[in-house]
């Protein structure tokens, strides 16, 4: 049934033709394409350099400790600001989002690729792809007007049974907390993670699955033994793509979260903040130095994404070397 | 089978093309909204004197956005040669852009700070500097959502305690005392404030500080300094929360309360009767203000603690900021002509329906003098 | 109630009992169980006076998973039970995710269709008092088309050439570095891209806010997506084609242009279109960079522009019924735009897809 071409090793171009033939056209073309590659590297470097330049001038005017201060006051002088709350909020909400989104997204991807009746799978796949492109501001409006009012009951219930953990304590009030943000971000990134994982699952060699089936494996055993191991690196990179969006999501968080500049022990109570939301909240009234302070926080966000992504790529690279699944 | 699928796809593609074609067809879009309900009612204002031409860029305070929309519409209806583009970016960004020479004037919720005046001397040619021209005022309403309560009176001290999370229940003694005969529920108070920096927060906290210094220990400013409570983004954010959440209270420009039909608090200022948040009452409070600027600068010192009869003291006055001397020559004529219209009786009177308070006569006269002498 | 089900199923399983076949639950069992647990969920919800429908759904879902696991374990054995558990979990995942997503789309269509008409598509907000109904999103549509167009014009060639470099020439350290950073770049948050252009273009180089500034930020977000998808497509081109062309003495660059690219063009265009769809809804960098305008500005290089995501944000900020209607309508236009691009991309992909036979 599959009409796609399998990316087998025989179709990968050999790598020993880099020199070309020394003709002028070849030189120009090689120069152009290599230049583009270098340009991409240059852009990444430029992002780091320019943000750093502004960040340094801001941090030198900071009368708090940039890393540990909770406050963000840049409208009065001297400025006092720090990223502690923002870093906490960004990381916590993203972790919640990933914990919810990745299992569900992998589930949906498996549903589409291995479980759903074909007539259902195609439209579902299409709708999911479409949702990957719904603008984040729309998720924000939907979250503020629809999701938040529907969460009160759930939170009360969590508080009743898990309130003793302190993490899930909930005092009544509009539930516009980091946990809500986590749920909203999860809903936002499920489509992306799903569509990328689905592509990966579809490329699992049919032979592996048929072999497992022939040995009498149930459908779940096929999935567990041949599909998931093959797709593991793909799932990780899909998750990273989602994580990137979750870490940097601005408008949806700004419309839904009730920010404050302290770390609230309970995940269900309003408070906290994220880097991107903080930038959106202060940008309009920011004068020169205040804007630099926001840029400095943006730099921290950039560094965090860089670290997380870099680590993920390294894991994937290592996995690829040792597992036979890619062959 | 394959053939059929291809045909269906082609049909889909054709449909998609047709749809996008329909979008392209609207390429004859237009800026002319005079036919629609939001765009009609252009007055043939007789006393608008058109001068200059070209594009006039300005940016700043979002609190005066609705007023600007109306002024720009009326002015544009009379003067076809001038195209005014006011962008509600926020006061900070507006001043910033004006200081960089990118706009002709800035709109701001607060007067220029000393260091901003200093840097304006670089921008204004020939020894000029930036001056503040008050143009429009407005009441900041305190909206509430308490089931079963239609009318609520509070004073500065209770407001300060509520917004600082010291008073936590609607049936608190302090509130009961001010509202005899009103049955207040045993409901948690949810005070909402702005999560973004804003001139509304600045003026509201200045009021709390001036009228109830003992109950409000925080420094007033554009960023919220009180403790506790919830935050939301923008006036629209806080007002939609008040509408949604039972037990909520927050502050926003009166127009937001009217737009979402939110009930507003009457203020017990010490005058004989509690004062309602209305446009007229705000004008009365603005009339109590003292001019603290010197020369052509008309920065106002608002009387937040006024006890005058019927004066609603939580007000916001927004300024237009321009150079007294040495405005950019290519936009000077248009700027002067536009600001003259804005400060004129016609320009001021048209604002009432939008929830703005026209300037009191005395101040308006001075503004007109200052505008006339811009060079 | 559930006893009856078990009795029946055991009957169904027991009757023939061929030696080599395990007993099976009847085919309608999952549907029946789903109905039963939905009923129970609602029952518990009503009885326990749980206010949130979300809880009802969660309870029903949990019941469904538990009952079907227990039942299968009893009737069919533990391996089958695990399989059944996985199947029901996956169905639950699907339903859990589909509910909010469908509600999102429904909400947008429902609220957006109120003011969406020809007038809305054909007019700007120039001279409209924002608290009254009227006006439209034409200026924002133009802004989005131009900004996304420019972003594509920048990002597509660069992305394409980079992918060609990686697939056709790349080896050694540079290629490895580029691959690594392209991957990392896919994770760059949109607001960071916006801040970068703000610092570089507007603060340091002192240019004005413009549609072009927004387009540059979008291009940064788009490039890595284009590189990745193009790379995949180029790798799919059979090597024999390249070798045949080279063997005929065609220079390498002509081989790439005339043989490799045309073979992969369908997939490449799809990739670019999907990348466009993904950036069209970006609001954060646009809010920082294009400034927003009420009137039509056809020139993306000078003066303030608007764009659909910005327009939605702006109208939401205005906070009255008329502006909320406009916000939802603009959101609907944006989604329709993305959907059209998606459909086009799929159409092209099927039409131009490399033929499977060699």
């Amino acid at each position: 049934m599959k009409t796609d071409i399998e990316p087998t090793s025989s179709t990968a171009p050999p790598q020993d033709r880099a020199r070309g033939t020394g003709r002028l056209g070849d030189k120009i073309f090689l120069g152009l394409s290599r230049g583009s590659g270098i340009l991409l590297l240059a852009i990444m470097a430029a992002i780091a350099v320019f943000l750093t330049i502004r960040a340094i001038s801001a941090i030198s005017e900071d009368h708090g400790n940039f890393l540990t201060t909770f406050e963000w006051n840049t409208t009065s002088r001297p400025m006092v600001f720090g990223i502690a709350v923002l870093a906490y909020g960004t990381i916590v909400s993203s972790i919640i989002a990933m914990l919810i989104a990745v299992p569900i997204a992998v589930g949906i991807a498996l549903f589409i690729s291995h479980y759903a009746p074909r007539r259902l799978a195609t439209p579902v796949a299409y709708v999911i792809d479409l949702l990957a492109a719904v603008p984040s501001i729309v998720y924000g409006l939907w979250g503020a007007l629809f999701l938040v009012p529907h969460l009160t009951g759930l939170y009360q219930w969590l508080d009743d049974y898990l309130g003793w953990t302190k993490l899930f304590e909930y005092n009544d009030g509009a539930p516009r907390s980091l946990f809500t943000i986590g749920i909203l971000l999860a809903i936002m990134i499920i489509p992306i993670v799903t569509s990328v994982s689905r592509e990966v699952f579809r490329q699992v060699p049919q032979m592996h699955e048929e072999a497992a089936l022939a040995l009498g494996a149930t459908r779940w055993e096929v999935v567990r033994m041949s599909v998931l191991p093959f797709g593991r690196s793909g799932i990780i990179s899909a998750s990273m793509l989602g994580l990137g969006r979750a870490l940097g999501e601005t408008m949806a968080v700004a419309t839904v979260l009730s920010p404050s500049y302290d770390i609230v022990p309970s995940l269900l109570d309003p408070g906290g903040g994220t880097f991107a939301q903080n930038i959106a909240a202060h940008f309009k009234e920011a004068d020169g130095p205040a804007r630099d302070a926001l840029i400095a926080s943006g730099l921290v966000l950039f560094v965090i994404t860089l670290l997380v992504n870099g680590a993920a790529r390294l894991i994937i690279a290592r996995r690829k070397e040792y597992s036979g699944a890619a062959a | 089978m394959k053939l059929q699928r291809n045909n269906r796809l082609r049909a889909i593609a054709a449909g998609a093309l047709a749809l996008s074609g329909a979008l392209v067809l609207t390429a004859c879009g237009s800026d002319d909204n005079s036919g629609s309900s939001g765009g009609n009612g252009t007055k043939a204002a007789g006393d608008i004197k058109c001068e200059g031409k070209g594009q006039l860029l300005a940016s700043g305070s979002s609190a005066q956005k609705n007023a600007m929309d109306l002024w720009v519409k009326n002015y544009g209806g009379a003067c076809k040669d001038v195209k005014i583009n006011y962008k509600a970016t926020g006061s900070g960004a507006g001043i910033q852009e004006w200081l960089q020479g990118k706009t002709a004037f800035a709109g701001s919720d607060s007067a220029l700070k000393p260091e901003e005046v200093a840097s304006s001397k670089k921008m204004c040619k020939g020894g000029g500097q930036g001056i503040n021209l008050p143009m429009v005022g407005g009441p900041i309403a305190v909206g509430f959502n308490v089931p079963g309560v239609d009318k609520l009176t509070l004073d500065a001290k209770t407001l300060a305690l509520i917004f600082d999370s010291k008073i936590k229940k609607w049936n608190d003694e302090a509130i009961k005392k001010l509202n005899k005969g009103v049955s207040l529920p045993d409901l948690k108070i949810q005070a909402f404030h702005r999560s973004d920096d804003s001139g509304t927060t600045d003026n509201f906290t200045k009021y709390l500080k001036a009228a109830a210094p003992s109950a409000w220990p925080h420094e007033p400013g554009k960023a919220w300094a009180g403790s506790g409570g919830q935050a939301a983004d923008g006036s629209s954010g806080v007002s939609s929360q008040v509408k949604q959440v039972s037990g909520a209270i927050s502050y926003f420009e009166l127009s937001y309360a009217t737009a979402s039909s939110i009930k507003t608090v009457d203020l017990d200022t010490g005058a004989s009767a509690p004062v309602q948040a209305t446009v007229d009452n705000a004008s009365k409070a603005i009339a109590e203000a003292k001019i603290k600027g010197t020369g052509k600068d008309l920065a106002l010192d608002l009387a937040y603690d006024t006890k005058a009869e019927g004066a609603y003291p939580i007000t916001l006055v927004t300024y237009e900021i321009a150079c007294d001397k040495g405005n950019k020559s290519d936009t000077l004529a248009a700027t002067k002509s536009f600001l003259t219209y804005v400060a004129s009786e016609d320009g001021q009177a048209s604002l009432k329906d939008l929830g703005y308070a026209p300037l009191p006569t005395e101040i308006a006269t001075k503004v007109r003098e200052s505008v006339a002498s811009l060079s | 109630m559930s006893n009856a089900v078990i009795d029946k199923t055991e009957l169904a399983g027991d009757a023939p009992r061929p030696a080599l076949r395990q007993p099976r639950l009847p085919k309608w069992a999952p549907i029946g169980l789903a109905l039963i647990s939905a009923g129970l969920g609602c029952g518990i919800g009503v009885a326990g006076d749980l206010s949130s429908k979300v809880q009802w759904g969660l309870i029903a879902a949990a019941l469904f998973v538990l009952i079907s696991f227990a039942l299968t374990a009893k009737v069919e054995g533990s391996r089958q039970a695990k399989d059944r558990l996985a199947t029901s979990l996956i169905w639950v995942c699907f339903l859990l995710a589909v509910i909010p997503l469908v509600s999102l789309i429904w909400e947008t269509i429902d609220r957006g269709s109120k003011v969406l008409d020809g007038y809305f598509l054909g007019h700007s907000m120039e001279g409209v008092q924002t608290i009254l109904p009227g006006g439209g999103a034409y200026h924002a549509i133009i802004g989005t088309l131009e900004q996304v167009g420019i972003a594509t014009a920048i990002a597509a060639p660069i992305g394409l050439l980079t992918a060609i470099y990686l697939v056709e020439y790349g080896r050694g350290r540079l290629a490895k570095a580029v691959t690594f950073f392209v991957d990392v770049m896919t994770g760059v948050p949109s607001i960071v891209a916006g801040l970068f252009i703000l610092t570089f273009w507007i603060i340091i180089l002192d240019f004005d806010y413009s549609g072009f500034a927004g387009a540059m930020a979008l291009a940064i977000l788009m490039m890595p997506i284009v590189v990745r998808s193009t790379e995949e497509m180029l790798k799919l081109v059979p090597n024999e084609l390249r070798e045949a062309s080279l063997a005929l003495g065609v220079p390498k660059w002509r081989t790439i242009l005339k043989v490799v690219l045309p073979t992969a063009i369908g997939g490449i265009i799809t990739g670019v279109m999907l990348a466009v769809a993904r950036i069209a809804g970006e609001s954060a960098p646009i809010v920082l960079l294009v400034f927003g305008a009420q009137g039509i500005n056809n020139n993306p290089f000078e003066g303030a522009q608007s764009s659909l995501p910005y327009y939605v944000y702006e109208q939401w900020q205005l906070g009255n019924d008329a502006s909320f209607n406009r916000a939802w309508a603009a959101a609907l236009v944006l989604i329709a735009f993305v959907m059209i691009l998606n459909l086009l991309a799929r159409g092209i992909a099927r039409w131009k897809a490399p033929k499977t036979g060699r």
Side-chain angles (χ1 to χ4, degrees), chain C residues 261-276:
Chain C
L261 283 185
T263 316
I265 195 71
I268 294 174
I269 293 178
T270 317
V272 171
M273 291 266 222
L274 291 177
V276 167

Side-chain angles (χ1 to χ4, degrees), chain C residues 190-213:
Chain C
S190 55
I191 195 147
V192 170
L195 281 177
F196 164 60
I197 296 296
L198 178 82
T199 330
F200 169 69
W201 186 252
I202 292 176
I203 300 182
I204 293 180
L205 294 183
D206 200 28
F207 283 98
D208 284 334
Y209 297 95
S210 65
F212 181 62

Side-chain angles (χ1 to χ4, degrees), chain A residues 162-303:
Chain A
L162 293 169
W164 52 271
T165 55
K166 295 286 172 215
L167 265 186
F168 292 99
E169 228 172 15
Y170 171 63
N171 304 304
D172 55 349
R176 302 158 63 234
S177 62
L178 285 179
F179 197 74
T180 311
I181 295 299
I183 295 177
L184 184 65
L185 288 176
I187 295 173
M188 291 181 67
I189 61 178
I190 282 174
I192 298 182
V193 182
T194 305
S195 50
V196 179
S197 324
R198 193 195 65 216
E199 285 304 310
V200 177
F201 293 156
R202 270 183 26 183
Q203 296 186 348
V204 175
Q206 202 104 31
M207 302 277 270
H208 291 207
E209 292 177 36
E210 282 163 5
L213 282 173
L215 291 172
T218 61
R219 192 152 48 167
W220 167 242
E221 283 160 347
V222 171
V223 167
R224 196 168 52 86
M225 293 188 308
S226 70
V227 178
L228 288 183
F230 180 88
R232 191 178 291 140
S233 71
I235 296 172
I236 295 180
S237 60
S239 313
M240 286 307 120
L241 202 62
L243 182 63
R245 192 162 174 190
L247 286 171
E249 180 44 47
T250 313
M251 291 307 160
V253 179
T255 11
V256 172
L257 184 68
S258 160
S260 70
Y261 292 98
D262 48 8
I263 291 176
V264 188
S266 165
L267 293 175
L268 304 186
D269 277 337
T274 73
F275 284 110
Q277 168 269 326
N278 189 57
I279 293 172
H282 295 285
F283 188 76
K284 281 176 286 181
E285 292 292 325
D287 51 9
R291 202 158 58 176
D292 288 349
L294 294 175
I295 291 173
S297 75
L299 178 66
V300 179
L301 177 60
F302 180 63
V303 171

Side-chain angles (χ1 to χ4, degrees), chain A residues 23-26 29, chain C residues 169 251-258:
Chain A
R23 271 176 280 200
L24 184 63
D26 271 337
F29 200 75
Chain C
Y169 295 97
K252 187 170 165 94
W253 66 280
R254 282 186 69 92
T255 305
I256 295 172
L257 282 184
K258 297 282 174 184

Side-chain angles (χ1 to χ4, degrees), chain B residues 18-348:
Chain B
L19 263 171
S20 50
L23 268 179
V24 174
L25 271 186
T26 62
C28 38
S30 105
D31 268 344
D32 178 18
N33 276 300
S34 52
S36 83
S37 58
N40 62 6
T42 307
K43 283 208 294 186
D47 60 345
I48 298 181
K49 283 203 196 75
C50 299
E51 272 173 69
K53 60 178 154 191
Q55 207 186 25
L56 194 59
L57 283 178
S59 64
S61 158
S62 48
Q64 51 174 288
K65 167 78 177 149
N66 289 341
M68 261 309 163
D69 284 349
L70 184 69
W71 287 330
V72 166
K73 193 179 81 186
N74 289 348
Y75 185 84
C79 308
K80 303 281 184 212
D81 285 345
V82 182
K83 194 171 175 186
I84 299 168
N85 216 339
Y86 181 84
K87 278 148 248 147
T89 47
S91 309
I95 292 178
Q96 196 69 14
E97 276 157 14
W98 176 74
L99 286 176
Q100 286 166 3
K102 290 185 180 172
T103 49
F105 63 90
S108 172
D109 297 337
S110 45
L112 289 174
K113 289 179 254 178
E115 66 263 26
E116 284 164 349
V117 175
S119 46
S120 74
K121 284 178 183 158
K122 268 182 254 156
M123 208 274 292
C124 303
K125 304 278 166 341
Q129 66 170 50
I131 55 167
N132 306 291
L133 302 165
M135 279 302 173
V136 54
I140 298 173
V142 180
F144 65 94
N145 175 356
V146 187
V149 179
D150 285 335
K151 219 170 152 46
L152 189 71
T153 308
L154 296 172
D155 59 5
K157 190 168 167 227
T158 13
L159 266 182
L161 292 174
I162 287 175
F163 276 97
D164 208 19
S165 307
K166 298 285 187 312
I167 294 179
K168 294 194 161 81
K169 291 272 185 183
W170 279 109
N171 59 355
D172 191 279
E173 282 308 315
I175 305 178
K176 269 188 183 163
K177 223 167 62 188
L178 290 162
N179 295 279
K180 302 233 165 68
V182 179
S183 70
L184 290 157
D186 177 22
L187 184 66
K188 201 180 152 214
I189 298 182
Q190 307 212 27
F192 284 90
H193 56 261
R194 294 277 295 269
S195 62
D196 48 337
D197 296 336
S198 80
T200 319
T201 304
D202 192 27
N203 280 278
F204 183 66
T205 47
K206 271 181 187 158
Y207 161 77
L208 293 178
K209 186 78 185 166
S214 60
W216 189 255
H218 313 285
E219 277 307 308
K222 286 179 179 174
W224 182 254
S227 53
Q230 284 206 31
D233 184 44
S235 290
S236 62
V238 286
S239 60
S240 70
Q241 286 301 320
V242 172
K243 207 164 158 70
Q244 235 174 48
V245 177
S246 142
I249 183 168
S250 186
Y251 56 91
F252 28 79
E253 288 89 351
L254 183 61
S255 58
Y256 286 93
T258 328
S260 324
S261 42
I262 294 170
K263 291 164 210 132
T264 60
V265 166
D266 295 347
L267 273 189
D268 181 351
T269 57
S272 60
V275 190
Q276 261 193 314
T278 64
V279 171
D280 290 331
N281 293 349
S283 280
K284 281 179 205 158
I286 297 172
E288 303 284 316
K290 282 193 260 316
I291 294 175
K292 69 176 172 193
T294 51
K296 292 178 198 167
D297 184 19
L298 297 175
L300 295 180
D301 209 354
L302 291 170
Y304 291 114
D305 51 354
T306 179
K307 291 189 168 67
E309 284 303 317
Y312 183 85
I314 322 180
T315 51
L316 171 106
V317 171
T318 72
Y319 301 92
E320 311 310 332
I321 291 172
C323 297
D324 57 352
K325 276 188 283 188
N327 282 296
K328 276 189 290 183
S329 52
D330 48 341
T331 51
L332 175 66
T335 309
K336 256 176 97 165
S337 133
F338 177 66
L339 290 181
T340 308
Y341 161 67
V342 165
S344 72
E345 264 169 47
D346 245 28
Q348 292 287 317

